[in-house]
Amino acid sequence: MTNFTDRQKQIIQASLDLIANYGIHGLTIKNISKKVGISEPAIYRHFESKTDILLGIISKIKESSGMDSFVPADETKNTIAIIRETFTNRAKRFTKNPSIAAVIFSEAIFENNSQLYAAIGNIMEESQMKCVNIIKKGQNEGQIVDYIDAEQLALMIVGAFRLLVTKWHMSKNSFDLEEQTKILFNALEKIV
Amino acid sequence: MTNFTDRQKQIIQASLDLIANYGIHGLTIKNISKKVGISEPAIYRHFESKTDILLGIISKIKESSGMDSFVPADETKNTIAIIRETFTNRAKRFTKNPSIAAVIFSEAIFENNSQLYAAIGNIMEESQMKCVNIIKKGQNEGQIVDYIDAEQLALMIVGAFRLLVTKWHMSKNSFDLEEQTKILFNALEKIV
DNA sequence: TTAATGTTTGTTAATATTCACTAACATAGT
DNA sequence: ACTATGTTAGTGAATATTAACAAACATTAA
């Protein structure tokens, strides 16, 4: 979609880090410019407004939980394995860039701008729908129990993962997210 | 614990509503004073600082998901019934005061003040621990399957409920939270 | 009963600070 | 010469908070 310059990517990452460490109040043009190492007005050479920077953040978030991340490499794979891999991959990406994890499940950050709020809501909705569809497919193929609604199962899976990531962030990444994700999906496998 | 005057309660509720509707950026002394119908400095007759108001909010949140809310009325009750009732009650309370629901699972709101952040983290931790303990008790009594770790089960239950409430808030309370909570726990019952 | 006094809760006006953003100008590479 | 990217110095608006003062009310003393 949008192609960002190196400087823009740098600004987006700096913003992400600021939010992760100091909350949405920490995201000021002054702080961004300090982190990037240029003056405040120089930021405006790369983004028209602060809202534009936030849109850049959302675009980066989309990358990290967007459509493709649910498409399995191998169509013949077991449905449960697909789900497990999807979330393990996310955990891996969050571990690589913890700031994304801090922002991706904090919709509240965008609540004062309806454009941004709608965008983050869409990402959430889409990701959940993908999960529901995969589960349904698994149920049709007899790989997942069908006495539980796919919607409810998706709520549990996505909800549990979100909470795990939130706890990971709040603990200042003090445990191995990937490992805990695996443990979670081991437990889930016994259920579905 | 803390005893609030009527005016203080009014300020806390106004603040809660502001956050719920406009996000943390909407919470300004000016907006609070407008909502309460007094001048800005008058707010300082009732709270020493804005942080103090936020502490008041956290105190109110504690009421709504605190210790007692997990204590069962009837000790002889089925463990699963206790869990179901606990969360149904929470859903009821959120329906009565949707603004609390908007704030209670949005830790990001408090991220710029370590005192507040630690407080909300504690509430979260405590609530989760209570859930784990109840599950363990249920497992010991043979009412809940024991081939899944209590920690993982709690993660699923609390996580699913949190996500449900978040979706409810983001949809501007467009569905019946209590009903959906019941549906969720019907599904959970089939698993545990 | 009345006068004096203190407390509570409010007001208007002003404070310093921070915010996002702009104008004008500089420099280096194409 | 032009464009991209930077600078310094400033803008007005919004922020939390304080100072100084006033009305309403309760308590106490004459």
Side-chain angles (χ1 to χ4, degrees):
Chain A
M1 322 255 177
T2 324
N3 242 16
F4 292 112
T5 65
D6 282 358
R7 190 60 110 191
Q8 281 177 320
K9 284 181 205 159
Q10 202 185 354
I11 290 171
I12 289 173
Q13 185 60 47
S15 303
L16 228 29
D17 294 344
L18 282 168
I19 295 176
N21 288 320
Y22 310 106
I24 191 62
H25 279 121
L27 186 71
T28 66
I29 302 294
K30 193 175 195 168
N31 287 345
I32 297 170
S33 68
K34 250 191 250 165
K35 214 154 214 208
V36 174
I38 56 179
S39 67
E40 293 180 52
I43 299 290
Y44 289 90
R45 295 289 178 201
H46 306 278
F47 286 97
E48 279 198 359
S49 66
K50 195 181 164 183
T51 298
D52 260 28
I53 297 176
L54 283 160
L55 282 170
I57 289 177
I58 285 184
S59 160
K60 177 132 195 179
I61 286 178
K62 227 174 204 160
E63 263 179 46
S64 224
S65 85
M67 339 206 165
D68 43 348
S69 62
F70 239 122
V71 177
D74 183 355
E75 268 293 337
T76 64
K77 250 184 206 155
N78 183 291
T79 307
I80 293 170
I82 290 172
I83 294 175
R84 166 194 280 275
E85 253 178 55
T86 301
F87 285 91
T88 312
N89 277 341
R90 273 189 209 177
K92 223 174 251 171
R93 247 171 291 147
F94 290 159
T95 303
K96 229 183 226 163
N97 192 347
S99 296
I100 287 191
V103 175
I104 201 166
F105 297 145
S106 305
E107 318 76 29
I109 288 171
F110 305 101
E111 209 160 11
N112 71 313
N113 182 316
S114 56
Q115 187 193 2
L116 302 175
Y117 198 54
I120 199 85
N122 274 346
I123 292 177
M124 196 172 149
E125 192 69 40
E126 206 173 283
S127 150
Q128 187 117 2
M129 252 179 48
K130 288 261 155 66
C131 191
V132 170
N133 287 335
I134 294 236
I135 290 172
K136 275 185 182 160
K137 191 183 147 238
Q139 286 177 326
N140 280 337
E141 293 172 2
Q143 292 167 351
I144 295 180
V145 294
D146 62 355
Y147 55 82
I148 300 172
D149 261 0
E151 278 82 12
Q152 303 303 316
L153 264 179
L155 199 64
M156 293 176 214
I157 295 174
V158 177
F161 182 67
R162 277 176 67 104
L163 180 52
L164 181 62
V165 174
T166 300
K167 287 171 82 173
W168 181 63
H169 167 59
M170 289 189 85
S171 78
K172 304 201 182 212
N173 319 321
S174 69
F175 57 85
D176 185 331
L177 178 63
E178 216 183 315
E179 192 191 318
Q180 287 300 316
T181 302
K182 276 178 190 162
I183 292 175
L184 170 62
F185 281 86
N186 280 343
L188 270 165
E189 244 172 64
K190 291 180 193 159
I191 287 173
V192 302
Chain B
M1 319 270 174
T2 324
N3 242 16
F4 292 112
T5 65
D6 283 357
R7 189 59 110 193
Q8 282 177 320
K9 284 181 203 157
Q10 202 185 352
I11 290 170
I12 290 173
Q13 184 60 48
S15 303
L16 226 30
D17 293 344
L18 281 169
I19 295 176
N21 288 320
Y22 310 107
I24 191 62
H25 279 120
L27 187 71
T28 65
I29 302 294
K30 193 175 197 169
N31 287 344
I32 298 170
S33 69
K34 253 192 246 166
K35 215 160 209 196
V36 174
I38 57 179
S39 68
E40 296 179 51
I43 299 289
Y44 290 90
R45 295 291 177 200
H46 306 279
F47 286 97
E48 278 199 359
S49 66
K50 194 180 163 185
T51 298
D52 260 28
I53 298 176
L54 283 161
L55 282 169
I57 288 178
I58 285 183
S59 161
K60 176 133 195 178
I61 286 178
K62 228 175 203 159
E63 264 179 45
S64 225
S65 84
M67 339 203 166
D68 43 348
S69 63
F70 239 121
V71 176
D74 183 356
E75 268 291 340
T76 64
K77 248 185 208 155
N78 184 291
T79 308
I80 292 169
I82 289 172
I83 294 175
R84 166 192 280 274
E85 253 177 54
T86 302
F87 285 92
T88 312
N89 278 341
R90 273 189 209 177
K92 224 174 250 170
R93 248 171 290 148
F94 291 160
T95 303
K96 231 184 223 160
N97 192 347
S99 296
I100 287 190
V103 175
I104 200 167
F105 296 145
S106 303
E107 318 77 25
I109 288 171
F110 306 102
E111 208 159 12
N112 69 313
N113 182 316
S114 56
Q115 185 192 5
L116 302 174
Y117 199 55
I120 200 82
N122 274 345
I123 292 177
M124 196 171 148
E125 193 70 40
E126 206 173 279
S127 150
Q128 188 118 0
M129 251 178 49
K130 288 260 155 67
C131 191
V132 170
N133 286 335
I134 294 236
I135 291 172
K136 275 185 182 160
K137 192 183 146 237
Q139 287 178 326
N140 279 336
E141 293 171 2
Q143 293 166 351
I144 294 180
V145 293
D146 61 354
Y147 54 83
I148 300 172
D149 260 0
E151 278 81 13
Q152 303 303 317
L153 264 179
L155 199 64
M156 293 177 213
I157 295 173
V158 177
F161 182 67
R162 278 176 68 103
L163 179 52
L164 181 62
V165 174
T166 301
K167 286 171 83 173
W168 182 64
H169 167 60
M170 289 189 87
S171 77
K172 302 197 183 215
N173 317 323
S174 69
F175 58 84
D176 185 331
L177 178 63
E178 215 183 317
E179 193 192 316
Q180 287 300 316
T181 302
K182 276 178 190 162
I183 292 175
L184 170 62
F185 280 86
N186 280 343
L188 270 165
E189 245 173 64
K190 291 179 194 162
I191 287 173
V192 302

